[in-house]
Amino acid sequence: MRIVIVSNFVNHYYAPLADELYRLTDGHFWFVEVEPLPESFKKGGFSIYDRPYILRAWESAEAQQKAYQLAVDADVMYTGGGKFVVDYEKRRLKYNKLTLECAERILKRGLLNAISPTNLLTQFYYHTSFYKKPLYKLCISGYTANDMYLQHAYKDKCYKWAYFPAIPELDPKQVLAQRKGHQRGRMIWCARFLKWKHPELPVLLAEKLRDAGYDFEINMIGSGELHDDIARMIERKNLQNYVHLLGNFPNAEVTKIMADHDIFLFTSDRHEGWGVVLNEAMGQVCCPVASHLIGAVPFLLKDGENGMVFASGNVDSLYGKVRNILEHPDMMRELSLAAYRTVHDTWNPIAAAHRFYEFCEGILQGNVPVYSDGPLSKATPHHTHVKDLPVCL
């Protein structure tokens, strides 16, 4: 089977999946990059990958033409979605060839996104040209299917998908044993200091925990426009002994730091399309406490089973979840182990590549495989309401 991925560029959460697809297809696999890696991504620690399967369509007219031909000839095409890949999809679906388009949450800002040129263009082609074609939606968010169904698109053709960073082979019980020497509960937060990432929530959480007499520390990794505001907030609330701003680190260093923390705090709101940092933290055997509106959360987390889910933006809900974990270390241990198993056993790039191959092979043979959970299981509109997330005070 010949497979081609058409997306913006190869990165650390595409490469492990692509490497395995290259192996599974005996080299009959290509990754078409439609644009160079932006300078902002390079500064943020992204690397330029060199793989035999990469075709940089942006380098020349000749490379672009070869990319278009691959899009027509391959048995399966997987695209990153958006206006950059419409030309590839038009060429391919003209011949009714299997195509899978991935997307994060489309309507992050509601009507503003619905009427954006990119969304209008893709919806126009879907409803006028692609509606009855073998085009499937890979949902890189628990809320993508909601947005598709609202636009009467991809009904019964939405499937769960993800970004797939490499998950390390660890002895999770040994990792937890090494943390037993911690004198205080250690929490890690890792993100850009932006409004929709809500860096103020760990500080407000720290204030509540301190006032309640808990011994803990919260370390925050990252930088951004709100960094100085958060530093002043920490000083104003006299939390310097509890909350520490560590700055930026390369991705490999970040995961090492995660491994030395008990709890991972993920406080973004609905603007977080997926949130690869959640995969990475779970892969380091951290106990995740995450906002219910983050794209990855409905797929990766089950509240009270492999982590905790709090009502987005609600500091009381966040505090209740964290307090519950700190007061029950055995429960935190079990949640951490279950979190690791989730990304190691099911939501990892090797397993995803094998399931993708099997899924596409089944469709080509006229029999769509059915999975009960995990990658390429059916995605349907997901509704988690604040009332479903007890504050636990």
Side-chain angles (χ1 to χ4, degrees):
M1 186 162 58
R2 298 165 300 171
I3 299 174
V4 60
I5 292 179
V6 180
S7 193
N8 47 9
F9 44 80
V10 179
N11 53 46
H12 67 282
Y13 43 84
Y14 256 135
L17 176 77
D19 288 346
E20 185 63 13
L21 287 173
Y22 182 72
R23 191 193 68 79
L24 282 174
T25 59
D26 293 322
H28 297 290
F29 169 80
W30 300 266
F31 190 112
V32 174
E33 291 188 340
V34 298
E35 63 177 336
L37 184 68
E39 286 299 320
S40 60
F41 281 74
K42 293 178 185 176
K43 292 177 181 177
F46 279 59
S47 301
I48 297 176
Y49 281 80
D50 184 18
R51 296 285 197 275
Y53 54 73
I54 296 175
L55 173 60
R56 295 185 168 95
W58 50 269
E59 283 189 330
S60 67
E62 181 182 3
Q64 178 73 84
Q65 194 55 44
K66 184 178 179 180
Y68 283 145
Q69 194 60 49
L70 281 174
V72 173
D73 293 342
D75 299 303
V76 178
M77 185 173 78
Y78 160 18
T79 76
K83 62 182 179 181
F84 295 108
V85 301
V86 168
D87 283 344
Y88 292 90
E89 293 176 347
K90 285 194 296 183
R91 284 170 165 79
R92 181 174 180 80
L93 290 170
K94 177 181 178 182
Y95 299 100
N96 294 314
K97 303 195 77 172
L98 176 59
T99 305
L100 303 100
E101 178 184 290
C102 71
E104 296 180 1
R105 186 173 201 169
I106 304 300
L107 306 181
K108 294 177 184 177
R109 296 184 297 163
L111 182 61
L112 286 176
N113 292 123
I115 62 174
S116 71
T118 297
N119 187 62
L120 290 175
L121 177 67
T122 55
Q123 290 299 320
F124 170 78
Y125 277 109
Y126 177 78
H127 288 289
T128 61
S129 303
F130 300 163
Y131 185 73
K132 295 184 179 180
K133 302 291 185 178
L135 177 63
Y136 298 81
K137 180 65 72 174
L138 301 183
C139 301
I140 307 185
S141 169
Y143 300 98
T144 302
N146 297 53
D147 293 350
M148 292 298 103
Y149 277 56
L150 281 172
Q151 299 179 89
H152 304 283
Y154 296 95
K155 187 175 181 181
D156 296 324
K157 296 176 77 175
C158 288
Y159 292 86
K160 296 180 182 179
W161 198 237
Y163 294 125
F164 296 100
I167 302 301
E169 291 291 336
L170 303 173
D171 180 341
K173 292 183 179 179
Q174 183 178 9
V175 173
L176 292 175
Q178 291 171 349
R179 294 179 189 158
K180 282 190 174 180
H182 291 174
Q183 297 301 310
R184 52 200 326 214
R186 304 193 76 199
M187 290 170 260
I188 186 77
W189 182 93
C190 180
R192 289 172 292 162
F193 282 67
L194 303 176
K195 184 177 180 180
W196 57 272
K197 298 279 189 178
H198 294 284
E200 79 284 356
L201 283 177
V203 182
L204 296 173
L205 167 66
E207 183 179 33
K208 282 181 167 290
L209 289 171
R210 180 200 60 191
D211 293 349
Y214 291 94
D215 191 19
F216 67 95
E217 64 178 297
I218 298 175
N219 293 312
M220 300 180 70
I221 294 176
S223 61
E225 60 191 41
L226 295 181
H227 182 276
D228 292 346
D229 291 340
I230 296 301
R232 286 189 289 269
M233 185 180 181
I234 292 168
E235 185 175 358
R236 187 173 66 250
K237 293 180 178 293
N238 196 28
L239 292 167
Q240 297 93 326
N241 292 332
Y242 299 92
V243 184
H244 312 118
L245 304 184
L246 305 185
N248 287 319
F249 294 89
N251 185 258
E253 288 297 315
V254 170
T255 53
K256 288 181 182 178
I257 295 170
M258 286 176 172
D260 196 38
H261 286 76
D262 306 295
I263 297 170
F264 171 66
L265 303 174
F266 201 6
T267 57
S268 300
D269 60 29
R270 63 183 289 130
H271 292 86
E272 188 74 65
W274 176 259
V276 174
V277 69
L278 179 59
N279 305 59
E280 294 172 331
M282 294 169 73
Q284 295 299 329
V285 206
C286 293
C287 178
V289 180
S291 155
H292 82 287
L293 289 180
I294 291 167
V297 168
F299 289 173
L300 296 188
L301 294 186
K302 293 182 180 179
D303 186 45
E305 294 185 23
N306 64 349
M308 289 291 190
V309 181
F310 74 94
S312 185
N314 187 324
V315 69
D316 288 331
S317 177
L318 173 60
Y319 168 66
K321 299 290 182 174
V322 171
R323 192 183 77 169
N324 197 14
I325 295 170
L326 292 175
E327 290 183 353
H328 300 90
D330 288 343
M331 179 179 68
M332 179 169 66
R333 179 179 180 275
E334 292 305 314
L335 293 176
S336 301
L337 290 172
Y340 178 75
R341 287 194 296 268
T342 297
V343 293
H344 178 270
D345 298 350
T346 305
W347 291 92
N348 74 81
I350 307 303
H354 282 254
R355 187 169 282 192
F356 182 85
Y357 191 96
E358 179 183 73
F359 180 81
C360 294
E361 191 172 50
I363 292 177
L364 292 172
Q365 294 173 359
N367 182 26
V368 181
V370 177
Y371 307 104
S372 61
D373 198 12
L376 293 170
S377 57
K378 188 66 72 74
T380 54
H382 176 90
H383 302 286
T384 298
H385 302 286
V386 171
K387 66 179 177 60
D388 299 322
L389 300 167
V391 172
C392 299
L393 289 176

